[in-house]
Amino acid sequence: MREAILAASFRLFAAQGYSDSSIPAIAREAGISTANVYVYFRSKLDILYTLYEPWLKERLDRLDRSLKRVGSPQERLERLLVILWRDLPRENNGFAKNIMQALSTTRGGDDYSPHLRELFQERVALWLADCLAVTRAESNVIAGIVLMAFDGFAMNVQLDHGMAFNANAARLFSRMLGPASPATGDDGEGPRARSHD
């Protein structure tokens, strides 16, 4: 029954979004009573988190494999941005937008957990540190900004006149971030921060 609820929820969230998918609609789609949904899940947000975490991890693992096949740090950064800001927001009919819809409608006491954002940001920060001449702390700050932009692209994906991201924009933005190819210091401890004089 739990798997039926998750499958039904995924179909509804992908087709019509979190906001337009109610617990009674999920129950109908799963062929069970509304009360049975609450036996397995505390809330609609709990269902979404249960679906979203493995969905996201699978895509991040796939992205990691894709980035490892690119030799140039500049090209890796561009691919990272295209996948995060164009491809991932489009997958499964814009499934990523569901998290933004959910979080924009939750109250402070709802079941919000920063776990997914932290997991996502940590992976992106590692990739950025590998592509840019920045410290680990700086890559974490940039990753936070990259994820805020991801949220915007995820919300825009189904708008008739939403902003689209492409390879040219990735090239421009990667140049704005600064030189790729992290410079390793004499101490062998990895990238050195650029001078901000």
Side-chain angles (χ1 to χ4, degrees):
M1 197 173 294
R2 183 179 187 275
E3 293 307 312
I5 294 166
L6 290 173
S9 299
F10 187 86
R11 287 192 300 272
L12 289 176
F13 293 160
Q16 61 194 38
Y18 180 88
S19 297
D20 293 330
S21 301
S22 66
I23 292 287
I26 291 168
R28 277 192 303 279
E29 181 76 15
I32 62 172
S33 72
T34 299
N36 277 335
V37 174
Y38 290 105
V39 169
Y40 295 93
F41 299 97
R42 293 182 311 276
S43 64
K44 187 169 67 163
L45 186 60
D46 185 26
I47 296 170
L48 179 59
Y49 279 146
T50 302
L51 287 168
Y52 196 83
E53 184 166 359
W55 182 89
L56 179 63
K57 282 182 176 178
E58 178 184 328
R59 278 140 189 88
L60 295 179
D61 290 344
R62 187 174 66 205
L63 174 54
D64 189 55
R65 290 189 299 273
S66 174
L67 293 174
K68 285 179 179 172
R69 293 191 298 267
V70 181
S72 156
Q74 187 70 35
E75 290 174 8
R76 268 198 314 277
L77 179 58
E78 290 174 20
R79 180 176 290 183
L80 173 64
L81 295 174
V82 166
I83 291 172
L84 286 180
W85 290 349
R86 184 192 68 192
D87 300 345
L88 187 56
R90 293 179 180 175
E91 284 203 38
N92 297 111
N93 197 35
F95 185 69
K97 75 180 176 303
N98 286 288
I99 286 291
M100 273 55 73
Q101 287 181 359
L103 295 180
S104 67
T105 60
T106 61
R107 296 177 308 279
D110 287 347
D111 295 331
Y112 171 71
S113 166
H115 169 71
L116 286 176
R117 181 194 51 79
E118 290 167 350
L119 175 135
F120 200 174
Q121 186 168 343
E122 182 177 310
R123 295 287 295 271
V124 173
L126 288 172
W127 293 320
L128 288 169
D130 185 52
C131 295
L132 298 170
V134 295
T135 66
R136 182 70 173 91
E138 290 170 330
S139 73
N140 193 53
V141 171
I142 297 167
I145 295 166
V146 166
L147 291 187
M148 294 301 288
F150 167 81
D151 293 348
F153 285 114
M155 292 303 296
N156 259 277
V157 77
Q158 293 182 321
L159 298 177
D160 289 338
H161 303 288
M163 181 180 174
F165 193 76
N166 58 35
N168 289 333
R171 203 166 297 114
L172 173 64
F173 194 80
S174 66
R175 282 198 314 258
M176 289 171 51
L177 285 174
S181 244
T184 302
D186 295 335
D187 56 9
E189 291 190 14
R192 291 227 173 160
R194 293 184 306 273
S195 172
H196 299 286
D197 296 336

